[in-house]
Structures are given as structure tokens and as C-alpha cells.
Amino acid sequence: MIGLPAKERAMSETVAEVTIFERIGGAETVDRLVEAFYRRMDTELDARRIRLMHADDLSHTKAVLKRYLTEWLGGPKLYSVEKGHPRLRQRHMGFAIASPDAEAWMLCMRGAMAETIADEAVRSHLDDTLTKLAYWMRNQPDAPEGTQTWKP
């Protein structure tokens, strides 16, 4: 704000910043995003392994992801009031996660975002951020090229 004329500085200070949550369409879009994400996890062959990391009934998992994404995207604090700090990596330590799992997760998320988020700039930003997050969640070394570490 330094360097702006007083009138412009006052105007810019009164304009509220729009959150990504608001920009994508709020809770309705987050709901559709999570539903599309798990639908892809159920149907994408490359997502079989990560689907097996989840319960057969995804109701609870979907609800948790919806609360997490709502808060993470700048919406109401629905996740932290119930669960505290996300500690995502710690919460996922019980699952063996390697690069192919991060890639499968992103395959499902990219498809879900393409289906539900119209704003390309937001989609691109979320893709970058979520890709970093997905790869940060890895807790297993990657298998040597040409080997398979699990059986479908």
C-alpha cells in the first residue's frame, strides 16, 4: 500500500479479499469436487491401490475431506474445530504412500477439478499446490523402475 495515493490506498483497504472458497462457488462446489474425486477413485484403474486404502463406505471420509477442503480453501473453519491441526502427514502414516500413489491421487483430483471448477487460474493454482502436498505425503521409497510393489 505504500506509494499509493491516499484515495487509492483507502479504497484498496476497504475491498475484502475474495477467498478461493468463494471464488470457486463455496460449499456446493466443494461438495461436488469431493464427490467427483471419490467417483474417480472408484473408477480409475490407476487409482485401485489408493482406493484400497479407504473403507468400503466412503461416507465418513467424504465428510472429513469436505470439511478440510472448505477450511483450507478459505471457507468456514469446519475441520480444525473438530480435529485440531490437520497434521496430514502424521494422519496418513498408517498407509504406505509412494510416488505412484501421489500420482493416482492427483489423477483423481485433477479430473474432479476439471469437472467442478470453471476458473482455470484457480484450477492451475490448486493443481500446483495439491501436487506438492500429494508428493509431501509420501512415506515410502519408490520402487525401482519396472518393478511392482503391490498386487491389485
Side-chain angles (χ1 to χ4, degrees):
M1 303 293 177
I2 296 173
L4 288 177
K7 181 178 178 183
E8 288 179 31
R9 195 170 46 245
M11 286 175 43
S12 65
E13 290 171 356
T14 60
V15 176
E17 188 175 313
V18 176
T19 65
I20 292 176
F21 178 77
E22 295 166 319
R23 192 166 166 182
I24 67 169
E28 181 181 325
T29 301
V30 170
D31 287 348
R32 289 186 305 113
L33 175 67
V34 170
E35 293 298 326
F37 171 76
Y38 283 110
R39 186 172 52 255
R40 280 174 167 68
M41 194 181 287
D42 275 335
T43 59
E44 290 284 349
L45 291 178
D46 290 339
R48 289 178 298 186
R49 177 173 150 82
I50 62 171
R51 178 58 180 95
L52 291 172
M53 294 178 189
H54 295 76
D56 289 341
D57 180 0
L58 292 170
S59 302
H60 175 73
T61 304
K62 288 177 182 180
V64 170
L65 184 57
K66 287 175 184 180
R67 289 192 299 271
Y68 174 78
L69 287 176
T70 293
E71 186 169 332
W72 184 73
L73 294 169
K77 293 193 179 304
L78 303 176
Y79 182 90
S80 61
V81 294
E82 177 186 330
K83 297 199 173 274
H85 188 281
R87 297 182 311 237
L88 292 179
R89 198 154 195 272
Q90 179 182 347
R91 292 182 195 272
H92 288 80
M93 276 297 173
F95 304 99
I97 302 171
S99 291
D101 304 311
E103 292 161 11
W105 196 90
M106 283 307 302
L107 173 72
C108 296
M109 185 54 75
R110 282 185 184 114
M113 288 191 300
E115 180 181 326
T116 60
I117 299 174
D119 188 320
E120 289 183 42
V122 169
R123 253 193 347 262
S124 177
H125 168 73
L126 291 176
D127 187 279
D128 290 344
T129 305
L130 289 170
T131 297
K132 289 174 188 165
L133 176 63
Y135 278 89
W136 180 73
M137 298 295 285
R138 294 175 299 169
N139 56 26
Q140 299 293 308
D142 293 336
E145 192 73 27
T147 63
Q148 183 175 343
T149 59
W150 62 278
K151 297 193 188 289

